Amino acid sequence: MAKASFTRMARSFGTIAVVLTLSVVLASCGGRNGAEHPPEPGDQAVARVDAKTVWASDVKREAVAQGLIGEGEPLDVSSDLFRRVMDEVIDQKLLASEALKRKLDKDPVAQRRLAAARERILGDMLVESTVSDAVNENAIRGLYQEQLKLAKQSEEIHARQIVLPSLTEADAVKKLLGTGASFEALAMERSTDAATRFNGGDLGYFTTDVMPEAYETNLKAAKVGQIVGPFEIDGGWAIVKVEDRRLEQPITLEAARPQIVRFLTYDQVRDLLEKLRGRAKVQTLIKAPQDVPGAPQEPASAPPALSGPPKPDLLKPGAAKPVPPPPGAPLQPPAKAVKP
């Protein structure tokens, strides 16, 4: 048997419990058979297994579960990926059907596993429903505007630099600049900084707090067009030309959207779990672990499991980059939660 077949079979066995769970749920619905009706508007029948329809949405859901596509991403029914995942879905249905014929679902261990899978599915559906209602366009825009009002904008500087290995060479270049020589040309010819040399010494826009102290000290009061230096830095001497000064530009709503959705999602999940735990009577029947001498200790500053990520600072560069989920977070933010 080919290696790909083993992989496909492994995935099929890994999801068989979920398939069986869905079979049990359907069987409990008064014997109604809605399999031939599209489960989603515009859904397409793509295969049949013993007269039971496989829908395009079934295949797409499996592709999302395997991490082959993201939630909300399209999956062309004519693509090789779709056909490969469709074959896996068919295999899952065949395996689940055979398991039911052999009455494996009647085994007590199997029933506990099916019940656990059912609880996971229902829990995920509750979270998706809660998030879908709360994480909408108004909430996203509201948090964005709130952050814009609270944020403090720093000043950005656009500058170019020439880095020389010695003060003598730096003074010589400074004299050439004084005679009208091109700063960009001298940077390309003389600078030893490989990161900026070949683009004319361009440092782009930056705030001085992210630069080494020598830059902050020398550029703090520099005016646009002024050439500053030479001043000593790590690895040599720098001559810097200030090209522009401006207020730091806030990140756009679209760039910040992924971070905002993520924050709002975890905020909703945290609140939901806190409410459920507050209403329920939860007892832990096992003893707390004893301290072992020499074992690593969790720092006192570690966040609680349900604390969620901090509110994003939308005006800082890179604010829209995804943050790791908080400990214990049950889901990734579903893309369908955002309603235009």
Side-chain angles (χ1 to χ4, degrees), residues 213-234:
E213 185 178 352
Y215 288 86
E216 183 174 10
T217 300
N218 286 277
L219 298 180
K220 184 181 299 183
K223 298 179 180 179
V224 174
Q226 183 177 349
I227 295 177
V228 180
F231 55 87
E232 190 172 13
I233 61 172
D234 289 341

Side-chain angles (χ1 to χ4, degrees), residues 49-71:
V49 181
D50 292 334
K52 295 180 181 178
T53 303
V54 177
W55 299 94
S57 60
D58 299 330
V59 178
K60 184 177 178 181
R61 190 180 304 111
E62 178 65 19
V64 172
Q66 293 186 23
L68 301 175
I69 63 172
E71 185 74 48

Side-chain angles (χ1 to χ4, degrees), residues 33-46 48 53-58 61:
N33 182 8
E36 293 305 315
H37 298 286
E40 297 180 6
D43 214 341
Q44 178 182 351
V46 294
R48 282 191 176 84
T53 303
V54 177
W55 299 94
S57 60
D58 299 330
R61 190 180 304 111

Side-chain angles (χ1 to χ4, degrees), residues 2-322:
K3 182 178 180 180
S5 298
F6 280 115
T7 302
R8 190 171 65 197
M9 292 296 288
R11 287 173 177 161
S12 297
F13 281 114
T15 56
I16 189 68
V18 176
V19 177
L20 285 171
T21 301
L22 294 177
S23 299
V24 172
V25 172
L26 289 173
S28 67
C29 295
R32 294 188 302 269
N33 182 8
E36 293 305 315
H37 298 286
E40 297 180 6
D43 214 341
Q44 178 182 351
V46 294
R48 282 191 176 84
V49 181
D50 292 334
K52 295 180 181 178
T53 303
V54 177
W55 299 94
S57 60
D58 299 330
V59 178
K60 184 177 178 181
R61 190 180 304 111
E62 178 65 19
V64 172
Q66 293 186 23
L68 301 175
I69 63 172
E71 185 74 48
E73 290 184 17
L75 181 58
D76 190 345
V77 296
S78 64
S79 67
D80 291 338
L81 176 60
F82 184 94
R83 290 186 173 276
R84 177 164 64 83
V85 178
M86 182 178 67
D87 283 341
E88 295 174 9
V89 172
I90 291 172
D91 287 347
Q92 290 173 15
K93 290 186 177 294
L94 290 171
L95 289 167
S97 178
E98 182 63 22
L100 289 173
K101 289 178 183 177
R102 298 185 185 188
K103 301 187 183 303
L104 296 181
D105 58 314
K106 304 301 182 184
D107 182 85
V109 175
Q111 289 181 354
R112 290 183 63 83
R113 291 173 63 182
L114 289 170
R118 182 175 182 271
E119 289 175 354
R120 283 196 298 271
I121 293 171
L122 290 174
D124 287 351
M125 291 177 67
L126 173 62
V127 169
E128 289 174 7
S129 174
T130 302
V131 169
S132 180
D133 291 339
V135 184
N136 52 46
E137 190 65 22
N138 288 337
I140 293 171
R141 291 182 178 275
L143 179 56
Y144 178 76
Q145 293 299 328
E146 175 188 335
Q147 289 291 290
L148 286 180
K149 292 177 183 178
L150 295 176
K152 296 180 180 180
Q153 290 176 272
S154 303
E155 187 178 45
E156 288 183 318
I157 298 175
H158 179 205
R160 295 179 183 273
Q161 72 171 0
I162 304 174
V163 179
L164 289 308
S166 68
L167 178 59
T168 301
E169 292 176 83
D171 285 335
V173 169
K174 184 70 175 287
K175 290 179 181 178
L176 291 174
L177 291 170
T179 64
S182 167
F183 194 99
E184 294 90 330
L186 285 174
M188 296 183 71
E189 293 173 7
R190 304 285 187 90
S191 182
T192 60
D193 182 52
T196 60
R197 173 183 176 184
F198 296 105
N199 63 356
D202 194 356
L203 291 167
Y205 280 96
F206 58 88
T207 54
T208 55
D209 61 316
V210 302
M211 299 293 284
E213 185 178 352
Y215 288 86
E216 183 174 10
T217 300
N218 286 277
L219 298 180
K220 184 181 299 183
K223 298 179 180 179
V224 174
Q226 183 177 349
I227 295 177
V228 180
F231 55 87
E232 190 172 13
I233 61 172
D234 289 341
W237 295 78
I239 302 171
V240 179
K241 180 182 179 182
V242 178
E243 300 278 5
D244 188 25
R245 301 183 78 108
R246 70 180 187 187
L247 285 178
E248 187 178 10
Q249 299 299 299
I251 192 171
T252 65
L253 172 60
E254 289 311 308
R257 183 181 296 274
Q259 178 82 343
I260 295 174
V261 170
R262 193 176 181 87
F263 170 79
L264 291 174
T265 296
Y266 285 124
D267 198 42
Q268 289 297 316
V269 173
R270 178 196 60 200
D271 289 348
L272 174 62
L273 288 173
E274 286 179 349
K275 290 177 182 177
L276 293 176
R277 283 178 173 267
R279 294 202 299 260
K281 184 178 180 180
V282 180
Q283 293 178 292
T284 302
L285 303 179
I286 58 175
K287 295 180 180 179
Q290 296 181 350
D291 292 336
V292 178
Q297 298 293 318
E298 183 174 306
S301 60
L306 299 180
S307 63
K311 189 170 290 188
D313 186 348
L314 301 178
L315 297 187
K316 288 298 180 184
K321 293 180 180 178

